[in-house]
Amino acid sequence: MVIENLQSANTHPPEWKRRWINRRNRIFANPAFQKWASALWPFSRVARKHASHLFDLVAGFTYSQTLLAAVEADLLGLLAQGPSDADAIAAHCDLSRDGALRLVRAAAALGLAEEVSPGWWMLGERGAPLHANAGAQAMIRHHKLLYADLADPLALLRADRKAQTQLSRFWQYGVQGNDEKASAYSDLMAVSQAMVAEQTLAAHDFSRCRSILDIGGGHGAFVSAVAVQHPNARLGIFDLPPVLEGTAKRLESAGLNGRVTLHPGDFFHTPLPTGYDCITLNRILHDHDDDAALALLKSTHKALKPGARLVIAEPMADTPGAQGMGDAYFGLYLWAMNSGRPRSIREIGAMLQEAGFQSWQSATTRQPVIASLIVSLA
Ligand SMILES: C[S@@+](CC[C@H](N)C(=O)[O-])C[C@H]1O[C@@H](n2cnc3c(N)ncnc32)[C@H](O)[C@@H]1O
């Protein structure tokens, strides 16, 4: 099994490295060194940066909750309309005046709001792009479930991964039916998929693909974006039957139902459609544990002719500049979801090789925090 092979290739750290790290850590933990470094330029700048980073780790929960409150109370929506004072914020967000002041000041401290003159606030530099991004706001609302599952993180990490969690229930409902929860799931997927689609389409040129099948394509946000950029490509979506019922309606209202073939099925049990010269897996692989992910890659390989391509787009572990997003955020999110894990480019590459693909390479995306990309040839 690929991942086990990678892990067993791990060797005990060499003695020089163990000694060096121990020595460095003893120095960094020493209060006298900290005092010295914080008083002396240029060490003082580094010391401040480290202290501030450490404080962010300690206080991160309050930042997330401020963000959640600002989105849920539509504080950002109000501030986007123009300068607001505490009374207007209190009325709009259904808060007391004191509560409104506490929230808007916290939001301003995090760059979500900005006090433009004393007692008057507008959107801040971080608030403006967030307000314009429906997908990010949907994710923030959805995070309530994650925070509930993480209320006791050790209990979660010690629990049997088969025990139900808020997140596992949410995803189960999403793929099982058409009730209110399933539609919340689909809406979340559709708005956030637009962000992933943008990254994928900017990072890879699909113009050479005459036909593209999006596996686990949900309600078709990716395929709809491809349809606009590549009007002559033949398009298909493979997903679970209840999900595709919603897809058909959405494609119809987008005027695309004649252009996209829907393939209902379960990718662990139904053979994947053949005849496409490109298959995409957008945010699919990381949802599944190693054996299942490898099985999916093997059936994808089987569905492609030699030389045809597979494009994998998802947030990946060990991504330079976005490390926290990988093993910290997705590591815990997918743990709470009871399935899957973030994988590094190298790990996915090894799995692709094991699944029979002849070559693979990564492509740079504009925002690796949203998705990284791997293109592989069957
Ligand atoms: C995380 S969502 C990703 C959706 C979409 N690709 C995106 O990026 O927004 C996972 C998708 O895989 C589909 N899916 C999950 N298990 C599946 C299975 N066994 N067979 C087919 N589709 C499945 C879900 O219905 C859902 O649309």
Side-chain angles (χ1 to χ4, degrees), residues 89-101:
I89 295 170
H92 186 81
C93 300
D94 193 19
L95 290 166
S96 67
R97 193 174 182 282
D98 282 350
L101 265 177

Side-chain angles (χ1 to χ4, degrees), residues 135-136 139-140 142-143 146-147 149-150 156-157 161 167 170-171 188-189 192-193 195-196 199 282-290 313-319 322-344 347-348 367-372:
M139 282 309 289
I140 290 163
H142 164 73
H143 278 158
L146 173 64
Y147 301 158
D149 286 336
L150 284 175
L156 181 75
L157 288 166
R161 267 192 109 191
L167 275 180
F170 176 83
W171 289 105
L188 174 68
M189 278 300 98
S192 56
Q193 195 185 19
M195 296 193 281
V196 180
Q199 298 304 314
N282 288 303
R283 295 195 297 179
I284 300 296
L285 221 52
H286 65 354
D287 278 356
H288 301 283
D289 292 335
D290 293 344
E314 63 184 32
M316 294 180 195
D318 271 348
T319 299
Q323 279 91 348
M325 170 279 298
D327 279 320
Y329 173 77
F330 274 102
L332 290 183
Y333 184 101
L334 295 170
W335 182 275
M337 195 178 92
N338 281 348
S339 174
R341 68 184 186 94
R343 298 180 179 86
S344 65
E347 283 176 316
I348 296 176
Q367 293 285 2
V369 77
I370 296 175
S372 295

Side-chain angles (χ1 to χ4, degrees), residues 162-176:
K162 291 192 180 70
Q164 290 227 317
T165 59
Q166 302 252 7
L167 275 180
S168 69
R169 265 185 231 116
F170 176 83
W171 289 105
Q172 249 166 334
Y173 283 124
V175 294
Q176 273 170 3

Side-chain angles (χ1 to χ4, degrees), residues 33-378:
F33 171 78
Q34 290 166 11
K35 204 169 161 189
W36 172 83
S38 64
L40 193 72
W41 192 88
F43 302 107
S44 52
R45 281 184 56 188
V46 181
R48 265 203 302 279
K49 209 172 112 194
H50 277 285
S52 162
H53 189 197
L54 207 51
F55 183 80
D56 286 344
L57 295 184
V58 175
F61 180 71
T62 61
Y63 300 171
S64 310
Q65 296 300 71
T66 303
L67 187 63
L68 178 61
V71 169
E72 282 210 309
D74 192 36
L75 173 66
L76 302 181
L78 175 70
L79 300 185
Q81 290 166 26
S84 299
D85 63 4
D87 291 325
I89 295 170
H92 186 81
C93 300
D94 193 19
L95 290 166
S96 67
R97 193 174 182 282
D98 282 350
L101 265 177
R102 194 62 63 107
L103 175 62
V104 74
R105 284 179 177 152
L110 300 177
L112 300 170
E114 186 172 330
E115 192 169 13
V116 285
S117 67
W120 290 88
W121 286 269
M122 291 177 73
L123 275 185
E125 284 184 7
R126 289 178 183 163
L130 194 57
H131 174 64
N133 189 331
Q137 288 183 59
M139 282 309 289
I140 290 163
R141 286 198 189 89
H142 164 73
H143 278 158
K144 254 184 145 167
L145 302 180
L146 173 64
Y147 301 158
D149 286 336
L150 284 175
D152 184 344
L154 273 184
L156 181 75
L157 288 166
R158 284 177 184 141
D160 177 352
R161 267 192 109 191
K162 291 192 180 70
Q164 290 227 317
T165 59
Q166 302 252 7
L167 275 180
S168 69
R169 265 185 231 116
F170 176 83
W171 289 105
Q172 249 166 334
Y173 283 124
V175 294
Q176 273 170 3
N178 267 331
D179 61 7
E180 209 180 298
K181 284 181 178 138
S183 112
Y185 159 92
S186 305
D187 290 347
L188 174 68
M189 278 300 98
V191 282
S192 56
Q193 195 185 19
M195 296 193 281
V196 180
E198 193 185 322
Q199 298 304 314
T200 308
L201 287 170
H204 184 69
D205 179 9
F206 285 88
S207 61
R208 268 180 288 166
C209 305
R210 281 162 303 153
S211 54
I212 301 165
L213 171 67
D214 191 26
I215 293 184
H219 281 179
F222 175 72
V223 157
S224 304
V226 176
V228 173
Q229 276 204 8
H230 304 286
N232 296 322
R234 182 168 66 85
L235 302 170
I237 299 177
F238 182 97
D239 210 304
L240 295 163
V243 175
L244 286 189
E245 282 173 30
T247 312
K249 286 183 205 142
R250 286 186 190 223
L251 291 176
E252 192 175 337
S253 50
L256 285 173
N257 52 344
R259 272 210 61 194
V260 183
T261 309
L262 298 183
H263 304 274
D266 176 336
F267 49 53
F268 293 124
H269 298 107
T270 321
L272 296 175
T274 53
Y276 287 90
D277 54 23
C278 176
I279 285 183
T280 50
L281 285 172
N282 288 303
R283 295 195 297 179
I284 300 296
L285 221 52
H286 65 354
D287 278 356
H288 301 283
D289 292 335
D290 293 344
D291 287 335
L294 184 60
L296 178 56
L297 289 180
K298 283 183 175 169
S299 33
T300 307
H301 180 259
K302 215 166 152 188
L304 288 168
K305 283 201 181 123
R309 75 188 58 193
L310 166 66
V311 177
I312 298 174
E314 63 184 32
M316 294 180 195
D318 271 348
T319 299
Q323 279 91 348
M325 170 279 298
D327 279 320
Y329 173 77
F330 274 102
L332 290 183
Y333 184 101
L334 295 170
W335 182 275
M337 195 178 92
N338 281 348
S339 174
R341 68 184 186 94
R343 298 180 179 86
S344 65
I345 284 178
R346 193 175 136 256
E347 283 176 316
I348 296 176
M351 292 176 91
L352 284 165
Q353 231 171 324
E354 172 135 355
F357 285 86
Q358 48 167 307
S359 66
W360 62 272
Q361 64 178 50
S362 61
T364 310
T365 54
R366 292 176 184 162
Q367 293 285 2
V369 77
I370 296 175
S372 295
L373 211 80
I374 294 182
V375 182
S376 186
L377 295 184

